[in-house]
């Protein structure tokens, strides 16, 4: 009787080990997790000089992430992106903190509400005897509005000059 139970126990343990190994191999092929001690990392993690984001299950984020009213983008290795990046054939600008810029001017280029750059004209600051103004190569210039330009808000009067 003891021999039979030992044999059953060995078979069960072998089956569990096979299933665990297959599951572990599949998980390694599809996901990446980062541990701190015995627990999985969650949220923002700086590893070396690179930022990553791990979900509540400890899975590495790749692609787009919406958090705190901001959008972030992570490459196929899970690295948070900054600067100009082409994603799905569209150009985006990601600030130093990784947040996507939208509805603002960055480096002279207008970024749409969805963050994509499609406006082909470039804007620059200009100065005349009356003051500073901001306009682009199409002839457009800012007037009667407040704009975000390179991360800072500027207000322009009805004649287009900086207030």
């Amino acid at each position: 009787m003891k021999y039979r139970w030992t044999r059953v126990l060995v078979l069960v343990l072998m089956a569990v080990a096979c299933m665990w190994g297959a599951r572990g191999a599949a998980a390694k092929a599809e996901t990446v997790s980062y541990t701190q001690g015995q627990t999985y990392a969650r949220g923002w993690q700086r590893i070396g000089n690179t930022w990553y984001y791990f979900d509540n299950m400890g899975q590495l984020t790749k692609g787009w992430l919406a958090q705190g009213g901001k959008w972030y983008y992570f490459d196929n290795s899970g690295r948070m992106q900054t600067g100009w990046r082409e994603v799905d054939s569209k150009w985006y600008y990601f600030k130093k903190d990784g947040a996507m810029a939208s509805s603002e001017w960055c480096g002279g280029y207008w970024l749409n509400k969805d963050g994509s750059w499609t406006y082909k004209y470039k804007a620059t600051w200009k100065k005349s005897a009356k003051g500073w103004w901001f306009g682009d190569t199409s002839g457009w210039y800012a007037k009667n509005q407040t704009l975000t330009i390179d991360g800072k808000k500027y207000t322009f009067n009805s004649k287009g000059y900086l207030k």
Side-chain angles (χ1 to χ4, degrees):
M1 184 77 159
K2 183 177 178 182
Y3 173 74
R4 186 176 351 152
W5 280 110
T6 304
R7 187 172 169 192
V8 169
L9 180 61
V10 168
L11 290 173
V12 168
L13 289 174
M14 287 175 57
V16 168
C18 288
M19 288 179 4
W20 179 260
R23 193 179 96 198
K28 287 179 185 174
E30 297 173 3
T31 61
V32 176
S33 298
Y34 176 68
T35 59
Q36 294 176 325
Q38 296 297 318
T39 61
Y40 285 108
R42 290 183 176 83
W44 291 100
Q45 300 292 324
R46 185 176 184 143
I47 304 170
N49 290 326
T50 305
W51 283 99
Y52 299 85
Y53 187 84
F54 293 86
D55 67 17
N56 289 334
M57 299 296 291
Q59 302 301 311
L60 181 64
T61 299
K62 298 176 184 179
W64 291 101
L65 170 70
Q67 187 181 61
K70 297 179 181 181
W71 283 94
Y72 300 87
Y73 188 76
F74 299 85
D75 68 11
N76 289 334
S77 297
R79 295 178 298 233
M80 181 187 77
Q81 299 297 290
T82 60
W84 287 100
R85 296 287 182 247
E86 186 176 13
V87 179
D88 298 328
S89 302
K90 291 184 179 181
W91 283 93
Y92 299 87
Y93 183 78
F94 299 92
K95 300 175 184 182
K96 289 181 182 181
D97 68 355
M100 179 189 73
S102 65
S103 299
E104 64 183 278
W105 291 90
C106 289
Y109 298 99
W110 175 252
L111 299 171
N112 300 316
K113 186 176 182 179
D114 70 356
S116 66
W117 168 64
T118 57
Y119 188 69
K120 63 182 178 178
Y121 302 103
K122 186 170 183 180
T124 57
W125 285 101
K126 298 164 182 63
K127 185 174 182 174
S128 71
K130 295 181 181 182
W132 286 95
W133 58 286
F134 188 77
D136 70 21
T137 54
S138 74
W140 169 89
Y141 61 96
K143 60 182 174 185
N144 284 329
Q145 60 186 331
T146 299
L147 293 174
T148 302
I149 303 169
D150 295 325
K152 188 175 176 186
K153 291 195 180 292
Y154 296 94
T155 301
F156 300 89
N157 66 21
S158 63
K159 296 194 180 192
Y161 293 101
L162 188 60
K163 286 185 176 183

